[in-house]
Every structure is written in structure tokens, then in C-alpha cells.
Amino acid sequence: MIAGYRCPRDGRTSAASELAWRCPDCGGPWDLDFTAGVVEHDQLPQRVNSLWRYAEALPLVDPKISFGEGRTPLVSITDRLSVKLDYLMPTLSFKDRGAVMLLEAARRLRPARVIADSSGNAGTAVAAYAARAGLPARIYVPASTSAKKIEQVRAHGAEVMIIDGDREATATAAQQAADEDGSFYASHVYNPYFLHGTKTYGYELWEDLGGRLPEVVVLPVGNGTLVLGVALAIAELVDHGLTDQRPRLVAVQAESVAPLARARAAGLTELPPGYAHGAETITEGIAIAEPARAEQILRAVDESYGDIVTVDDDEVRAAQRDLAGRGLYVEATAAACWAAVRHAEQTDDGQLGWRLLRDHETVAPLCGAGLKTGLA
């Protein structure tokens, strides 16, 4: 028996074995019906050197499909700024954190097929772990997806469905397939097992900093899987008395696709229907016009006393090259947070997010390898 699902809006529950990928009443994404246990910091050095070392906090234990993901380096750039090299993962992106948890759940349920939609990185991670689990996978991607990412998905043996249209059209096509009997929708957006994988990013920061957390964590946000995972980790660590620090979250969006930043600036707590539309940007991984967990993302940022900022493509290109010049070769989306850090240092803009990035101890993730796309 594995943990089932609970709707955060109306309390509806569903057993994981039912393969219901969303709440049938409200249509929204599930949370997990699971309570994390206490992770003792002094016990960690004797444990497996992967994200599975935080066993008490994870909804699954004794994984059969792990590649040793997690425990990525935290590298100091200045006295105040550090980067976490999450592109040093088995499939070269942070999405492995969530995908291994999600596909371990799928392995135990033995569905007829695994369905996923992605702009690239989540799809490659799902394809790799599905192959490891011995499950057939079908990955839906927008036509604009990097050819190198599509090649990687196919190399892992998954069927690739290329969809003409934006990220939302791709999700719609995948969800139609997910409604077929026997389909496990390995959605990094709708399935909360993914968030309980990405929360290990926060646990690793806590461990690497000696049982504390940084003042500010800056994170890219499209569908919000890393923002929500980190917020979940912070809440668990604080609730268990393992830290009294609550880092302020600064989320970063592409200027051309920034529904969450616009909503926050307008004082909204959720996105009205049709509030935003997709546009072209080199940061394909965060180009999400209608994130399904928008309300949760906005609440997580607000409760941390953080903010949402935007960067344009020129800033991202410059940041990508700046990182490469420092020996860190990442894809464009992964450079978005570094672009925000650079913007903050170069401006006297009084917006809260820029002030937080300018004045406080900050950790930024580098989420995807440059080998996936090349320089933008």
C-alpha cells in the first residue's frame, strides 16, 4: 500500500491504485495524504549518499529504480551567493528528484503505460526512470522542444508525441491519453509524489549548511514544482523543530510569460481563467501560461514574505554566458535565477525581490545542463 491522494480544495481522497490523476470534483491537482517524519541531522553521515537518505520524510522507501540521484554540490560564488549544481543528475536536470519518486510509485502500481507531458527535462527524467522500472512510456512535447531533449527521450525507449502548439496544448493532449484505462499520468504538475521528490532540494540545503537554511532561496517558476517542493521542505523542517529559519522565496519568471508575477503585482491570490497567454522565450522550461498550482505557488511565496520577479531573454543569455565563463555550463532556463541575481546587483529598483537578492545570503539552483540545448 502506498500513500493516496487528497484534494487540498475539497478534501476528496483517492487511493493511488485508482490512477485518478486529478480531483474528479474540482479538477485540480492532488496533494499527498502523507505526514513526514523527523530527519535527524546527526544520523545522515552514515546513510546512502542520495536523496533517499531523508527516508523519514519520504512517502516511499526501499526504492528499486534509483540511480543515486540527489546530493548535488553546493558551490560558493561569493561570500553571499552560492549555487547548487542540480544539473549534475543522471538525466542532467533537477527533475530527477521528482521523477524517481513518481516512477517508484508507478512501478509499485504496475500500470499498462506511463504518460507524461513536458517541455523536455521532465520528459527525459520520466522516460529514463520508466525504462529503469520496466514500464512503457509515452511523452508528449511541444514542437518547440530542443531536438537534443527529444533525442534523449527517444534514447530511453519512450514514444515521443510532438504536439503543434504551446505547452498548454501539449498538456491537454497528454491528459486525454491519461484518461485511458490503465494509464498512469506521471505529471510533475498534478501528481504530488513529484513534489515530495523535489523537496529534497530543501533538505539538502539544510544538511549542507550544518542544520540551517539560507536567508533567501531563489527559484525558477513555471509550473512551480521546485518552489512548492522547497516550501514543503521548509514547513516540515520548521514543524519538526529542526530549524527556526524560514527562508524568503524569490521566484523567477520569463518576462514574456509571467502570469504569476503579474498576479502577485496585482494582489491576486489565484489566476483568473484566461489571465495569461503563452509567448516565445528561450527559457522553455518555465514558459507556462496557466500553471495548475498557481494558487499554491502564490501562497507559498506570500507566506515566505518573498516575491516574484521577471527577467528578459537578453538577461538570460548574458547570465548563461557568465556562468559558462565561471565553469558552469547550463541551459537557458537554468540561467534564469542567475540572471535575476545579476539584475539585482545592477539595479537600485526598490521591488522587494530585487532587494532580497541584493542584500541577503542567497542560494540559486542550476537546474539543467547546457548540453541539453547549447548556448541560447
Side-chain angles (χ1 to χ4, degrees), residues 272-287:
Y275 183 72
H277 301 282
E280 290 190 6
T281 172
I282 59 173
T283 56
E284 61 185 9
I286 55 174

Side-chain angles (χ1 to χ4, degrees), residues 123 126-128 130-131 135-139 150 152-160:
V126 168
L135 295 172
R138 188 189 310 158
I139 311 298
I150 292 174
Q152 187 179 6
V153 173
R154 286 182 170 141
H156 293 313
E159 180 183 7
V160 177

Side-chain angles (χ1 to χ4, degrees), residues 34-41 43-44 47 51-61 199 203 236 240 242:
F34 166 79
T35 300
V38 179
V39 176
E40 298 291 351
H41 193 278
Q43 298 297 312
L44 294 173
R47 296 190 175 183
L51 62 82
W52 296 96
R53 68 202 278 112
Y54 310 111
E56 295 88 347
L58 301 178
L60 298 170
V61 296
K199 77 179 181 185
Y203 275 88
E236 292 175 358
H240 291 147
L242 298 173

Side-chain angles (χ1 to χ4, degrees), residues 82-127:
S82 298
V83 292
K84 190 160 176 58
L85 310 190
D86 255 31
Y87 66 91
L88 299 181
M89 289 277 198
T91 74
L92 306 181
S93 90
F94 88 96
K95 295 291 176 62
D96 289 359
R97 292 185 184 275
V100 67
M101 196 69 60
L102 191 52
L103 270 298
E104 179 62 28
R107 183 191 69 80
R108 299 178 189 201
L109 296 171
R110 305 310 303 180
R113 70 196 67 82
V114 168
I115 302 293
D117 56 279
S118 168
S119 61
N121 285 338
T124 58
V126 168

Side-chain angles (χ1 to χ4, degrees), residues 61-76:
V61 296
D62 191 26
K64 305 302 183 187
I65 63 170
S66 174
F67 289 117
E69 53 288 317
R71 299 296 295 136
T72 55
L74 182 65
V75 177
S76 176

Side-chain angles (χ1 to χ4, degrees), residues 80-81 215-216 248 355-362:
R80 191 177 58 79
L81 298 171
E215 294 175 327
V216 173
R248 300 174 81 164
R355 287 190 281 111
L356 291 174
L357 294 177
R358 192 162 54 233
D359 300 333
H360 294 271
E361 175 199 21
T362 299

